[in-house]
Amino acid sequence: MLHVFYLVGIAAFAASGVLAAHEARLDPFGGLVLAFAASISGGTLRDLILGRHPLYWTHDWVLLAVIASVAVITMLFLRRRELPRRALMTVDAVGLAVVTVIGARAAVDAGVTPLAVVMLAVLTGVTGEVVRDLLCGQFPPVLLREEIYATAAVAGACCYLLLHRAGAGAAATVVVPAALVFTVRMAALHFGLHLPRLARPR
């Protein structure tokens, strides 16, 4: 069940990569590159930090097939119909929610400190978005533009830790934090919520 849940998040990030490539007017190869970059960058960074080898995606052909399939299907769909920018934000929020929770679980399983769990969960969730935006030429990426993005991941990681410490069931420790991340991110988009700037506007 957890693997299926993870594939849903990976598929969402793959679609978000293609949507970003479409907005940046890249070619199909660029769409594939962004789909893979958005999907596996976060987990790769997490595994490198934890010293986990081989990297998770190098021996999971199903995961790679899902990324490639979703990328191709999304590109074919975009040839027939234009999607609003909100579609990118929504699928990206789904990916952020799922991958953040998977990152938190992996960090807990590795036995790291609670603070490290939160940090690794956030890195797992946001790295793909950062890489995607940079490859599209967007600087600074969404993460650094006052957006409530990493903040949503922090909330989800903390929620996961609390539920894990409280002995909640396996389903609850995955679904509840993921729902929290998604809700916080979408609420921020809907209501136009932002973090304050470091400097006062002039």
Side-chain angles (χ1 to χ4, degrees):
M1 175 182 174
L2 186 64
H3 189 60
V4 173
F5 186 69
Y6 188 39
L7 291 178
V8 170
I10 290 297
F13 266 154
S16 78
V18 173
L19 289 170
H22 179 71
E23 284 195 350
R25 300 185 180 279
L26 303 184
D27 61 19
F29 181 74
L32 280 173
V33 170
L34 260 65
F36 276 93
S39 301
I40 66 175
S41 296
T44 298
L45 179 60
R46 178 201 65 222
D47 283 0
L48 289 173
I49 292 174
L50 292 175
R52 296 170 60 175
H53 297 284
L55 297 177
Y56 73 102
W57 53 266
T58 60
H59 52 87
D60 190 345
W61 68 268
V62 174
L63 182 146
L64 298 177
V66 166
I67 296 173
S69 300
V70 170
V72 171
I73 291 171
T74 305
M75 284 189 280
L76 291 174
F77 183 84
L78 289 172
R79 291 183 66 86
R80 295 177 175 272
R81 183 178 177 182
E82 189 75 21
L83 288 177
R85 178 168 176 76
R86 193 166 187 83
L88 169 60
M89 298 299 185
T90 302
V91 295
D92 187 63
V94 172
L96 175 67
V98 174
V99 175
T100 295
V101 173
I102 296 298
R105 181 186 173 97
V108 168
D109 290 344
V112 300
T113 65
L115 179 57
V117 169
V118 174
M119 293 174 65
L120 287 168
V122 173
L123 285 174
T124 305
V126 308
T127 300
E129 177 270 341
V130 173
V131 172
R132 182 198 70 203
D133 284 0
L134 292 177
L135 289 176
C136 283
Q138 294 186 27
F139 188 84
V142 170
L143 173 66
L144 302 178
R145 293 201 300 266
E146 310 168 45
E147 295 277 357
I148 296 181
Y149 193 88
T151 310
V154 170
C158 292
C159 180
Y160 180 92
L161 271 176
L162 290 173
L163 291 173
H164 178 75
R165 291 287 183 90
T173 55
V174 170
V175 175
V176 174
L180 176 62
V181 174
F182 181 79
T183 301
V184 170
R185 176 60 179 152
M186 294 308 296
L189 291 171
H190 181 74
F191 294 107
L193 303 177
H194 298 274
L195 296 175
R197 293 183 178 181
L198 287 175
R200 294 181 181 179
R202 296 179 180 179

